[in-house]
Amino acid sequence: MARITLSINRRSVLAGGTALAALATLPRMLRGQNRSQVLVLGAGLSGLQAALLLQDAGVEVKVIEGSQRVGGRVLSQREVPGNPESGGTSFSPGYARLMSACASHGVETIDLTPIAPYFMQRDLYLGGKRIGGAEWALHPLNPFPEPLKKIAPFQYLGAAIGPRNPLTTDDAWLAAENAALDMPLDAWLKKQGWNDAMIRMAYDIDPGWGDSAQDVSTLMMLGALRFAQTQRELARGKPMFLTAKGGNQAIPEAMAHALKNPVEFGRKVVAIEAGKSGVEVRCADGRKYVADHVICSFPATTLRKIKITPALPPAQAKAINEIGAQHITMMHVVPRSRFWEAEGATPGMASDGLINMVIAERKSTDPEVVTSLTVWLKGRNALQTDKLDRKAAEATVITEFEKLRPAARGQLEIIAHHSWQRDEFALGDWAVWHPGQITAFSGVIGKARGQLHFCGEHTAVSNRGMEGAMESGERAALEVLQSA
Ligand SMILES: Cc1cc2nc3c(=O)[nH]c(=O)nc-3n(C[C@H](O)[C@H](O)[C@H](O)COP(=O)(O)OP(=O)(O)OC[C@H]3O[C@@H](n4cnc5c(N)ncnc54)[C@H](O)[C@@H]3O)c2cc1C
């Protein structure tokens, strides 16, 4: 029996019902002989979800992974106090599949509600100068109109657009009637009356997708706001943000542990060839695998480097080659003192310089204790530090931090550092749909070709991030079961 849903999310219940129906219709011969071999490429959440569903259906599954760990873009820094995340950071109770995986595989969740109020405590640094929360509403650099003038720049987009979001369902970002919104966010915001200063302050100094509002599709941003709204509605009366005990990486680890065939590590895939008798997969070390079906869970960034034979149809190949990936670099800093108290400031910050944001992690039993500081470099800032070697990049960030906050001088030690662009098995972070790409690519990017199937967060329909990955793995497993 597949374990795929909790009764939290109506859409997930529907998805779960479909999954169970598909399992029931799995050809008796296949189930009886347990013969169908499926090879899953990649041990991130999407690949593991697909593998476990197939295993539960009685199918023999093998998972191979290029790196030496499971989790992919879920990466907990266990060498840093409190296990802060360099990847998938938090989730909500409405992540039905992820919650179900935690429940099924014995992963405890931690309720972040007690520290939620601290999360938005970030002093603003513009042009190198600190602007305290109380000063912002009247500050000459504040471009926002009333009644939202008091809102911090990083909260403004959600506050201003969220309540007027034209997308009313989680999959509406893919609906043909919304295709006109597949335009640059910058241009759309101007149609809503925004000026350049507002766009810069609310988006470009801390871009969630792309390097600026010019290179992200409005539909993508509205889809993300809609998903966040759904999560808030589903969480009513429950804690909004959760993490896994031991770090979120404990979730894929527990999922992998439940596989009968252990994940094979160090298998960097370089070629996939589909033939009449199955699909052959070749690795960089010359190793070969053959399977009746292959599910490839790689992000588009690494998938585009793989030789696929026969070649994918041009529209699909173009989609895989051209969809964007967010540039993100994370550094985890342990402060030697509570230097912010000397400044009369908060430990967290947002800036329009090299450091987009700093989140004060409070991952001990006492929310007053700051266990580490997570430095986020996004978009062009992440690319800029990627040009330097590791030590030089860290020195540049520390210098910038200390320039903005002199009390931090000598107080910062970087314990962990992860550039997603430099990670050869990610080559970037979450998918970014540039203007026009949702209309052009969403229908083809994850389409199965014969016995070759695709999953991964970039192929999700109704969910995003970690739950999007899980949704896509479920869909790929169902494709295999239905085509068997
Ligand atoms: C900084 C950051 C913050 C995030 N915050 C959140 C959040 O708060 N909430 C949320 O829901 N989501 C968040 N996400 C997104 C979420 O983590 C991802 O969407 C999700 O984990 C993607 O899973 P996936 O299975 O699609 O891909 P991946 O996790 O990337 O899995 C793909 C796997 O394939 C392997 N692989 C790739 N290429 C090859 C190859 N050639 N050969 C062999 N193996 C290969 C990789 O090593 C990897 O294990 C965040 C991500 C990051 C990086």
Side-chain angles (χ1 to χ4, degrees):
M1 182 70 66
R3 37 173 187 257
I4 38 179
T5 58
L6 286 181
S7 56
I8 298 172
N9 179 333
R10 193 179 64 87
R11 188 172 300 282
S12 294
V13 172
L14 294 177
T18 316
L20 294 177
L23 294 183
T25 57
L26 183 68
R28 215 164 272 150
M29 191 183 80
L30 192 66
R31 297 185 73 157
Q33 295 181 357
N34 192 20
R35 194 183 61 84
S36 176
Q37 272 215 325
V38 177
L39 181 67
V40 175
L41 310 182
L45 287 173
S46 63
L48 291 169
Q49 170 77 342
L52 283 171
L53 287 173
L54 290 166
Q55 176 176 287
D56 285 350
V59 177
E60 190 202 332
V61 193
K62 189 189 286 285
V63 180
I64 62 171
E65 161 62 41
S67 72
Q68 296 297 333
R69 63 171 186 91
V70 299
R73 282 171 282 166
V74 175
L75 168 60
S76 307
Q77 303 291 173
R78 287 166 174 157
E79 67 278 47
V80 182
N83 309 313
E85 309 292 342
S86 270
T89 305
S90 65
F91 49 96
S92 322
Y95 279 45
R97 296 166 184 82
L98 201 71
M99 294 295 284
S100 180
C102 290
S104 304
H105 305 299
V107 178
E108 261 182 71
T109 55
I110 299 174
D111 173 4
L112 298 179
T113 312
I115 57 169
Y118 294 95
F119 186 71
M120 291 299 175
Q121 282 183 3
R122 286 173 235 165
D123 280 340
L124 187 59
Y125 290 76
L126 298 179
K129 296 216 163 51
R130 179 159 72 90
I131 301 169
E135 273 174 85
W136 175 239
L138 298 173
H139 199 276
L141 288 176
N142 186 332
F144 302 135
E146 292 291 4
L148 297 178
K149 226 172 158 54
K150 278 192 195 144
I151 299 250
F154 48 87
Q155 291 178 293
Y156 187 80
L157 186 77
I161 301 296
R164 294 186 294 123
N165 192 339
L167 306 188
T168 52
T169 60
D170 292 327
D171 55 1
W173 68 292
L174 296 171
E177 68 261 28
N178 292 319
L181 292 167
D182 196 10
M183 63 185 289
L185 177 60
D186 173 84
W188 184 78
L189 288 173
K190 284 186 178 152
K191 280 172 70 173
Q192 314 305 306
W194 289 44
N195 59 33
D196 286 331
M198 290 167 70
I199 294 170
R200 178 178 178 275
M201 200 63 77
Y203 198 89
D204 294 351
I205 67 169
D206 186 16
W209 299 272
D211 293 342
S212 75
Q214 286 174 0
D215 68 353
V216 62
S217 167
T218 304
L219 259 186
M220 149 143 233
M221 190 277 297
L222 293 174
L225 287 179
R226 178 62 244 175
F227 177 65
Q229 175 63 24
T230 299
Q231 293 306 312
R232 273 195 293 278
E233 288 163 11
L234 290 169
R236 201 157 286 159
K238 301 198 186 87
M240 224 356 240
F241 296 111
L242 302 166
T243 50
K245 192 171 177 190
N248 288 337
Q249 207 178 309
I251 306 172
E253 284 168 351
M255 291 169 79
H257 192 66
L259 287 170
K260 285 185 198 138
N261 296 321
V263 175
E264 293 185 22
F265 294 102
R267 310 284 192 255
K268 180 177 180 175
V269 173
V270 292
I272 303 172
E273 187 170 345
K276 282 208 178 93
S277 57
V279 187
E280 185 177 289
V281 170
R282 262 189 300 117
C283 296
D285 62 2
R287 209 176 294 253
K288 283 186 189 166
Y289 294 85
V290 180
D292 294 345
H293 289 265
V294 164
I295 296 178
C296 179
S297 77
F298 302 159
T301 40
T302 69
L303 179 56
R304 67 182 65 141
K305 299 204 171 295
I306 289 166
K307 183 171 166 36
I308 299 180
T309 317
L312 295 174
Q316 189 168 13
K318 186 173 163 64
I320 291 166
N321 282 330
E322 294 182 10
I323 188 174
Q326 185 62 356
H327 306 127
I328 300 262
T329 296
M330 315 281 284
M331 293 189 194
H332 299 273
V333 179
V334 173
R336 296 193 178 100
S337 70
R338 293 170 70 86
F339 62 86
W340 52 91
E341 288 176 350
E343 296 173 323
T346 66
M349 70 180 199
S351 96
D352 62 352
L354 177 72
I355 297 174
N356 297 93
M357 69 177 184
V358 172
I359 300 295
E361 307 285 352
R362 297 167 189 271
K363 295 197 161 166
S364 75
T365 45
D366 179 357
E368 287 304 318
V369 172
V370 173
T371 44
S372 67
L373 301 171
T374 306
V375 174
W376 289 68
L377 308 178
K378 300 185 190 172
R380 296 186 188 106
N381 290 339
L383 293 179
Q384 189 181 325
T385 50
D386 277 356
K387 288 188 196 135
L388 306 170
D389 68 35
R390 198 178 173 83
K391 275 212 154 120
E394 292 179 2
T396 303
V397 166
I398 295 283
T399 304
E400 170 77 3
F401 200 125
E402 292 178 349
K403 196 173 83 194
L404 294 175
R405 312 184 63 168
R409 206 161 285 153
Q411 302 305 307
L412 308 173
E413 189 183 358
I414 297 181
I415 308 273
H417 170 177
H418 197 87
S419 157
W420 287 102
Q421 301 66 248
R422 285 186 162 192
D423 178 332
E424 69 169 313
F425 297 111
L427 299 176
D429 202 336
W430 52 75
V432 174
W433 299 83
H434 297 305
Q437 290 191 334
I438 293 175
T439 331
F441 298 161
S442 61
V444 291
I445 196 162
K447 215 171 162 70
R449 298 293 161 191
Q451 293 119 306
L452 174 58
H453 307 260
F454 298 96
C455 63
E457 56 92 25
H458 62 288
T459 69
V461 171
S462 298
N463 294 278
R464 293 186 174 266
M466 294 186 272
E467 185 66 5
M470 299 287 279
E471 176 208 290
S472 74
E474 180 177 299
R475 190 254 314 135
L478 289 173
E479 276 174 17
V480 170
L481 293 174
Q482 283 164 344
S483 67

